[in-house]
């Protein structure tokens, strides 16, 4: 079974703090993704990575950065947390298709982040 | 803009009935299609994928794909209260790496 794990299920941080969310997958997937999910807005892609040290911006990258130093690990960084970053954060991974695209994505359990 | 559209619902069906969930997509070059189930407070879980036109059955679930009409659906037979969840449709884009997700349809199965 594919397993995607995230470092925390619940996290509470203060405005202005630097926040690290970590994601680890055990299936040797090429692609990894970070989403946030808010009521009524669906899943929104923040960043993704299609190889080690490779990253691309998604739809809402502002206020976030990412790091992928090893194939199995993809980190999301909130440089200076703000209250509008309170959300459910979901990591996903997938095998990559040659050239572009993805096979099915598998999600981690999510981190519910509250910024006060 | 590569859009995936779903009726937000809620779709309410009685226990034992067939639930029909629909999804349309705009990217004509898309080749693979996925259905995810998401319980409240949990992460999405893959339940079906379909690549070819026609029907694909897996237990009580049937995925249907019509690429000419850019339409994909999920049928749930003998619906159970445990099927109450939000169902997300996802489409592999013709370019790019990430699946395009719809906002989901909320399904409520009433006893």
């Amino acid at each position: 079974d594919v397993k995607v794990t995230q470092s925390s299920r619940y996290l509470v941080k203060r405005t202005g703090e630097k926040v690290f969310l970590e994601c680890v997958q055990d299936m040797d997937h090429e692609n990894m993704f970070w989403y946030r999910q808010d009521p009524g807005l669906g899943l929104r892609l923040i960043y993704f990575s299609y190889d080690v040290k490779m990253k691309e911006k998604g739809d809402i990258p502002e206020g976030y950065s990412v790091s992928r130093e090893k194939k199995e690990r993809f980190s999301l960084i909130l440089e200076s947390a703000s209250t509008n970053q309170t959300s459910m954060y979901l990591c996903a991974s997938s095998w990559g298709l040659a050239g572009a695209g993805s096979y099915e994505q598998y999600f981690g359990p999510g981190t519910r982040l509250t910024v006060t | 803009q590569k859009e995936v559209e779903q009726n937000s619902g809620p779709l309410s069906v009685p226990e034992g009935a067939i639930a029909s969930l629909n999804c349309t997509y705009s990217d004509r070059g898309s080749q693979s299609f996925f259905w995810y189930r998401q319980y409240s407070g949990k992460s999405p879980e893959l339940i079906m994928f379909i690549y070819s036109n026609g029907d694909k059955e897996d237990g009580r679930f049937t995925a249907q794909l019509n690429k000419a009409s850019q339409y994909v659906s999920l049928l749930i037979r003998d619906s159970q209260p445990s099927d109450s969840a939000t169902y997300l449709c996802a489409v592999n884009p013709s370019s790019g790496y990430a699946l395009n997700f719809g906002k989901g349809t909320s399904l409520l199965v009433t006893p």
Side-chain angles (χ1 to χ4, degrees):
Chain A
D1 275 355
V2 175
K3 193 164 185 184
V4 182
T5 58
Q6 295 183 229
S7 48
S8 306
R9 289 301 311 276
Y10 300 94
L11 207 53
V12 179
K13 295 293 182 180
R14 293 188 183 274
T15 302
E17 279 193 86
K18 192 168 187 175
V19 182
F20 293 87
L21 302 180
E22 285 216 316
C23 175
V24 177
Q25 50 93 4
D26 67 354
M27 283 302 294
D28 202 33
H29 285 166
E30 291 87 1
N31 298 341
M32 295 188 75
F33 310 86
W34 276 107
Y35 295 87
R36 63 179 284 178
Q37 187 175 36
D38 302 286
L41 298 179
L43 285 167
R44 292 184 290 169
L45 181 66
I46 304 171
Y47 266 98
F48 64 94
S49 169
Y50 53 90
D51 200 353
V52 176
K53 297 190 187 292
M54 306 303 290
K55 60 188 179 185
E56 286 203 17
K57 294 179 181 179
D59 300 319
I60 52 163
E62 297 79 18
Y64 303 94
S65 62
V66 290
S67 172
R68 192 169 182 199
E69 297 296 319
K70 293 185 178 181
K71 191 174 185 179
E72 67 271 17
R73 191 178 298 267
F74 191 35
S75 300
L76 179 69
I77 303 152
L78 286 66
E79 297 290 343
S80 178
S82 63
T83 55
N84 63 12
Q85 292 178 311
T86 291
S87 186
M88 169 72 96
Y89 288 88
L90 291 159
C91 175
S93 70
S94 75
W95 287 285
L97 286 171
S102 291
Y103 289 101
E104 60 272 21
Q105 292 178 192
Y106 294 91
F107 286 84
T111 295
R112 187 164 293 282
L113 172 67
T114 302
V115 183
T116 62
Chain B
Q1 185 77 3
K2 297 169 183 174
E3 295 184 345
V4 179
E5 300 286 344
Q6 296 182 256
N7 190 321
S8 62
L11 173 66
S12 183
V13 300
E15 184 175 357
I18 296 174
S20 177
L21 304 161
N22 304 315
C23 172
T24 60
Y25 61 94
S26 63
D27 184 354
R28 193 167 280 281
S30 296
Q31 295 296 322
S32 43
F33 307 86
F34 308 91
W35 282 100
Y36 288 80
R37 177 177 60 200
Q38 186 174 23
Y39 292 114
S40 180
K42 302 293 187 183
S43 61
E45 171 194 13
L46 179 71
I47 54 173
M48 289 284 291
F49 59 87
I50 186 166
Y51 300 147
S52 303
N53 275 329
D55 294 0
K56 179 182 178 182
E57 189 173 315
D58 184 1
R60 295 186 298 111
F61 298 99
T62 300
Q64 299 176 315
L65 175 61
N66 184 326
K67 289 184 181 178
S69 299
Q70 295 176 242
Y71 177 94
V72 58
S73 64
L74 179 70
L75 302 179
I76 306 175
R77 289 183 301 281
D78 188 23
S79 295
Q80 300 297 310
S82 58
D83 294 326
S84 298
T86 296
Y87 289 80
L88 304 175
C89 173
V91 174
N92 198 21
S94 55
S95 63
Y97 289 89
L99 300 181
N100 292 318
F101 284 86
K103 292 185 179 178
T105 297
S106 174
L107 173 66
L108 178 64
V109 181
T110 55

